[in-house]
Amino acid sequence: MPDPHPRHALRTAATVELVSLIMLLTNLATVHLPAVASLAGPLHGCAYLFTIGAVARDPLHTVRSVILACLPGIGGVLALYRLTHTGPLTVPAP
């Protein structure tokens, strides 16, 4: 049976990547607690790498979607939007 949410893992990783980056930047701009940085830093890094890998493994990926995924923070969300809102590439009939 096919997966009803084929990009669920990518959606989750892109969200975690964005939220963890916001946490890191907010922590840096305000109280700068080392505990927050030591928790959110590796979480952001893992989510970032997972997002790039998930986009690269998607059957509808393009070079542009992989490049978008490489942008820290918002790139995973942009790549996910590109993958879900652009149809498959088709060659027009002669």
Side-chain angles (χ1 to χ4, degrees), residues 43-61:
L43 180 65
H44 172 71
C46 289
Y48 175 67
L49 293 175
F50 185 88
T51 300
I52 294 171
V55 170
R57 289 181 49 102
D58 191 283
L60 297 178
H61 81 277

Side-chain angles (χ1 to χ4, degrees), residues 24-85:
L24 283 168
L25 294 176
T26 302
N27 182 49
L28 184 64
T30 58
V31 294
H32 194 61
L33 294 173
V36 173
S38 66
L39 173 70
L43 180 65
H44 172 71
C46 289
Y48 175 67
L49 293 175
F50 185 88
T51 300
I52 294 171
V55 170
R57 289 181 49 102
D58 191 283
L60 297 178
H61 81 277
T62 60
V63 172
R64 185 173 291 180
S65 63
V66 175
I67 290 171
L68 282 173
C70 292
L71 296 173
I74 194 72
V77 176
L78 294 174
L80 180 64
Y81 180 82
R82 181 159 179 82
L83 289 172
T84 57
H85 289 88

